[in-house]
Amino acid sequence: MVKLIALDMDGTLLNPHHDISRRNMEAINEAMKRGIQVVVATGRAFYEAHGIIRQLNTPLPYICLNGAEVRNESHEILATNALNAELVHKVADVFRSEDIFYQIYTDRAIYTADVERDIQIFMELAGEENNPASEKRIRGFMEERLKSGTLVETDDYRTIFENEEENILKLLASSPSKPKLFRARNELYDIGNLAVSSSSEGNIELTHENAQKGIALTDIANIMNIDMKDVMAVGDNLNDISMLKRVGTAVAMGNAASEVKAIADKVTESNTEDGVAIAIEEALDLLEEKQEAQAGDLSES
């Protein structure tokens, strides 16, 4: 019986416009009303994710940056898994050698060497290249982040590497060249102590080996005294695999990568078709059937 539901954001809970549909919102709220806890499990930083999730008007725990940071419903940090300086320098050398663009995610902000490249990455992730309306919206979003200080443009990453007050939690690399990404992944695997994943075909997400959605979700379930067999996770890409492998019910989106669908217990509809809501509604129907069966057994006894 599902007692905890973990939801990825991009490509899963969010539609291509980076919004939560009304049906998804209603399904989450209904699950919470029936006593099922919901947790957000995202590759985004908290300061990126919360601006969207707060639309639910329901306090939720967060697994951020693929598990590099975990927060409770009050948004207090429960755990962090930062990359040490040695690992960061080795990773930077790999990306530099392949001429791969990357961003640095810390507990303070996201650092980028090129905001225009960031906009292009967002467009690719949303699958809306050459969409003027989407580009205008994303540019506005980037401007807000620059003003708030959660996005910082810099021409020298060394200042972040050398700042002891910055906890580097994730590096996100992007390239249109599949051969470059392939070579970089192989080199990164050889470094060790890294979790190497991705949230789209054209990127690489790097965190500490202990910073994975599956590990963080297991920790949250333990805190809540919930067995992992009673956990459902919904995701669409490679950075979701670690949690999908650990739960009792693994759900892949209709738009999920083939590797994700291969390990899932079931495949729901896509993120443009309210796949999250459909998966939750099915779980709630099963819960209701079990409760009715239990009630029938009690009345007979």
Side-chain angles (χ1 to χ4, degrees):
M1 186 166 64
V2 173
K3 298 178 181 179
L4 173 63
I5 300 173
L7 301 175
D8 170 53
M9 286 184 65
D10 293 284
T12 301
L13 177 60
L14 306 185
N15 61 30
H17 301 295
H18 301 277
D19 294 324
I20 306 173
S21 72
R22 179 176 295 278
R23 186 176 177 184
N24 282 350
M25 285 187 185
E26 291 174 349
I28 291 170
N29 289 331
E30 184 62 27
M32 296 286 285
K33 284 180 185 177
R34 297 207 202 176
I36 298 175
Q37 179 62 61
V38 177
V39 58
V40 176
T42 179
R44 293 182 182 230
F46 173 75
Y47 39 80
E48 284 184 295
H50 184 58
I52 298 172
I53 298 301
R54 65 185 178 189
Q55 297 174 35
L56 295 168
N57 293 320
T58 303
L60 301 178
Y62 283 81
I63 296 170
C64 298
L65 299 168
N66 294 337
E69 183 180 270
V70 180
R71 295 179 182 243
N72 63 18
E73 304 95 301
S74 301
H75 308 154
E76 299 166 329
I77 297 175
L78 301 179
T80 57
N81 285 286
L83 292 162
N84 62 43
E86 182 181 1
L87 280 175
V88 170
H89 282 290
K90 287 180 178 179
V91 170
D93 287 342
V94 171
F95 292 148
R96 193 179 300 113
S97 68
E98 291 290 347
D99 190 28
I100 293 176
F101 173 81
Y102 68 100
Q103 302 160 298
I104 302 170
Y105 286 67
T106 78
D107 52 353
R108 292 182 172 189
I110 301 167
Y111 294 91
T112 179
D114 186 349
V115 171
E116 285 299 316
R117 181 70 182 110
D118 284 358
I119 292 170
Q120 183 182 345
I121 291 170
F122 258 81
M123 295 287 287
E124 291 169 356
L125 189 61
E128 295 191 10
E129 297 96 328
N130 303 316
N131 184 329
S134 180
E135 182 176 349
K136 182 179 179 180
R137 186 177 61 254
I138 289 171
R139 283 189 181 279
F141 174 58
M142 289 295 187
E143 287 173 6
E144 289 178 8
R145 292 166 71 188
L146 286 166
K147 288 178 182 177
S148 68
T150 57
L151 178 66
V152 179
E153 191 168 23
T154 177
D155 58 1
D156 187 4
Y157 280 166
R158 289 176 299 177
T159 58
I160 298 106
F161 295 163
E162 296 167 4
N163 187 346
E164 294 182 358
E165 295 182 358
E166 294 275 13
N167 287 316
I168 297 177
L169 302 177
K170 187 179 89 166
L171 276 71
L172 174 63
S174 177
S175 174
S177 170
K178 290 184 179 180
K180 284 185 177 182
L181 291 173
F182 179 79
R183 290 193 298 269
R185 281 195 185 93
N186 287 339
E187 291 183 59
L188 294 167
Y189 286 132
D190 290 341
I191 291 173
N193 301 120
L194 291 169
V196 184
S197 64
S198 65
S199 54
S200 75
E201 282 189 2
N203 74 26
I204 298 174
E205 296 193 348
L206 284 175
T207 55
H208 189 274
E209 63 181 346
N210 294 329
Q212 299 184 52
K213 290 184 181 183
I215 295 173
L217 182 57
T218 301
D219 291 341
I220 287 177
N222 287 337
I223 291 171
M224 296 179 176
N225 293 315
I226 295 174
D227 194 296
M228 287 298 285
K229 68 179 175 57
D230 295 323
V231 180
M232 180 173 87
V234 189
D236 74 304
N237 226 304
L238 305 188
N239 59 344
D240 298 314
I241 287 177
S242 66
M243 69 175 179
L244 293 171
K245 283 184 173 180
R246 289 171 176 247
V247 299
T249 306
V251 181
M253 298 297 293
N255 54 287
S258 58
E259 297 94 329
V260 175
K261 290 180 178 179
I263 65 163
D265 298 307
K266 59 178 70 176
V267 178
T268 185
E269 300 299 323
S270 73
N271 66 324
T272 63
E273 302 166 305
D274 297 324
V276 163
I278 291 168
I280 293 175
E281 289 161 3
E282 290 177 354
L284 293 178
D285 287 344
L286 287 173
L287 175 62
E288 188 172 347
E289 289 175 9
K290 287 184 179 180
Q291 290 173 337
E292 289 176 352
Q294 290 171 352
D297 291 341
L298 286 174
S299 62
E300 289 177 5
S301 60

